[in-house]
Amino acid sequence: MSVETPLLLIAFAGFGIGFAGALYGLRRRRARRDGGSGGDAFRAPLAVVPSAEREEVDRLRQEAHDEILALSRVIKEFGLPLPASPLDGDGPAGTVYSHPERPERVSGSHDGLQRALDAYAAAATVLDAARSRADVVGALVLVAEGQDALTEARNAVEGRTPGVRPRVPACFFHPLHGQALRTVAWRVTGSTRSLDVRVCQQCAWDISYRRPPEVLTEELGGRVVPYFQVPAEQSLWAATGFGSLIGGRLAERVLRGDFTRARMAALESDGGAAG
């Protein structure tokens, strides 16, 4: 299937403002910071009552849902085929999307459009199966990956860039901080080894001044821990740092089944602990 240049330009002209707003939204969704204490290895967002926590997760889930549908609308404008999704009602009632349907390969179009299609399919799969805040955040990160791919395609069509731009991942410590524009050496808690991680400017300052960075948390065995302390086999996000620890695309990991396998391992672990 070929995509004519005029169609690309028209579609992107309408998408430009929406994309800029969505990207700004990802950058501004920084959780509130508390003072913390010098002895803490990490800082979590301010504690809230359970009902408020559920309300916040529900808000993020709705935001992810809306942004995934917005991404799908732009993709449809190019005439690209969308895979069946639990979010758009195209699948049969009661369909369980336990494994993502890999989108068809599209010939004759810029590679950025294909990567946007992959990111859409991956984000829809993750949000449908989301069982924690980290999963919802993962869906938002995948949407941003798709938006970035569409921008790359637009730039190529308009002759602004000759090739593929370097991918800028989300902040390792908390993806909702925004893009990871700095790389810092971070010493893993309880270890003498250090790891180079890509982080936002604020987290880079925190590390530089030996302040505990604010992190996205998960529940593990009845305890609240930094998401990256969840065993990698039980969390795609811990294994990849929401894409900041890998050279490839996060969507590709989801489409090859890594998210589904990690989710099943986590459910089995929870069942074993309960038993």
Side-chain angles (χ1 to χ4, degrees), residues 148-171:
D148 191 62
L150 285 174
T151 296
E152 183 183 304
R154 179 192 61 187
N155 289 340
V157 168
E158 295 177 352
R160 296 182 184 180
T161 55
V164 177
R165 298 186 306 153
R167 184 180 64 90
V168 180
C171 177

Side-chain angles (χ1 to χ4, degrees), residues 247-269:
R249 295 179 293 122
L250 188 59
E252 180 61 31
R253 300 296 182 102
V254 175
L255 293 178
R256 75 184 190 186
D258 289 10
F259 170 75
T260 301
R261 283 189 290 272
R263 181 173 178 270
M264 295 304 296
L267 289 171
E268 290 175 4
S269 176

